[in-house]
Amino acid sequence: MNRVLIFLPAILLCACTASAQDPAPELPPAPSELPETVEIEASGCDYEREPLVIHFPMRTNTQDVIFELDDHYVTFQIPADCRYELRCDENTEMLNISENGQEIVSLYRGFLGVCGTGLEEKEDTLAGHPVHYGYYDGNTEWTFIGFDDLKFSIAKSGPAGHEDIIDLMLDTMYIGDYPASQGS
């Protein structure tokens, strides 16, 4: 069973399908009072897996998100006022990130089927993994990112103007392997 774990600095929320709708009840501590990292034990909804301990760097006004793949997990941060929702059907599992009701970016388990007309791809690395960025019709902003070795994709899903949120997500992205004894 796949799961999404959402981490707030002091609260652990776990759900097989989740939607963060409530703002944090308290203001975060001043930066000088924050530890450098926080250790969170994540056991989630998949009871066949042993708890996984993850060390997150502490930041104020953000929430930490984990999206699970087959043998890996993807962690990243989004602003505390953004929302997330896991959507599943028989063919697709995706995590949508939104702000003020507007979808910004979606993460997909698996590869995206994309149109090749007007498509230019550039290879690079992201979070230590080979990726290809997809650009359409000479646009300088990417439309999607495909992780070549993970069967994982990211696609922009909203209008321009949310680059700071997407940059935070990509800049804080970490992809980890499950310990061999915990693999699917």
Side-chain angles (χ1 to χ4, degrees):
M1 176 182 282
N2 303 317
R3 65 186 187 270
V4 171
L5 301 175
I6 305 302
F7 293 98
L8 300 174
I11 302 170
L12 172 64
L13 303 173
C14 170
C16 294
T17 57
S19 180
Q21 300 299 324
D22 298 324
E26 298 178 19
L27 293 174
S32 62
E33 298 172 10
L34 291 174
E36 287 185 26
T37 63
V38 61
E39 181 176 303
I40 299 173
E41 185 175 299
S43 57
C45 300
D46 185 349
Y47 298 107
E48 295 176 15
R49 223 185 273 273
E50 292 296 318
L52 178 66
V53 176
I54 300 170
H55 297 270
F56 283 111
M58 290 295 293
R59 291 182 172 83
T60 58
N61 301 318
T62 62
Q63 54 185 321
D64 297 292
V65 180
I66 295 179
F67 186 55
E68 292 196 76
L69 306 174
D70 291 329
D71 296 321
H72 302 82
Y73 59 91
V74 179
T75 67
F76 57 90
Q77 295 180 330
I78 57 175
D81 61 346
C82 284
R83 302 291 178 248
Y84 58 88
E85 180 180 18
L86 179 66
R87 295 183 187 166
C88 303
D89 63 29
E90 64 273 357
N91 299 319
T92 307
E93 180 177 330
M94 72 179 86
L95 181 69
N96 294 317
I97 309 297
S98 62
E99 181 183 48
N100 298 323
Q102 175 66 54
E103 283 188 14
I104 300 168
V105 65
S106 298
L107 292 81
Y108 295 87
R109 182 182 197 139
F111 296 118
L112 295 174
V114 297
C115 177
T117 304
L119 175 63
E120 180 183 343
E121 293 185 272
K122 296 181 182 174
E123 294 180 2
D124 203 347
T125 59
L126 179 59
H129 291 267
V131 297
H132 57 275
Y133 287 83
Y135 300 82
Y136 280 100
D137 301 320
N139 196 330
T140 59
E141 293 290 323
W142 58 269
T143 302
F144 67 87
I145 303 171
F147 285 79
D148 300 333
D149 60 342
L150 299 177
K151 296 183 183 173
F152 169 59
S153 304
I154 301 171
K156 290 183 181 176
S157 54
H162 299 281
E163 289 77 15
D164 57 335
I165 295 170
I166 295 171
D167 289 346
L168 173 65
M169 186 181 87
L170 297 179
D171 291 345
T172 59
M173 186 170 283
Y174 173 78
I175 299 172
D177 297 329
Y178 286 111
S181 65
Q182 296 184 27
S184 299

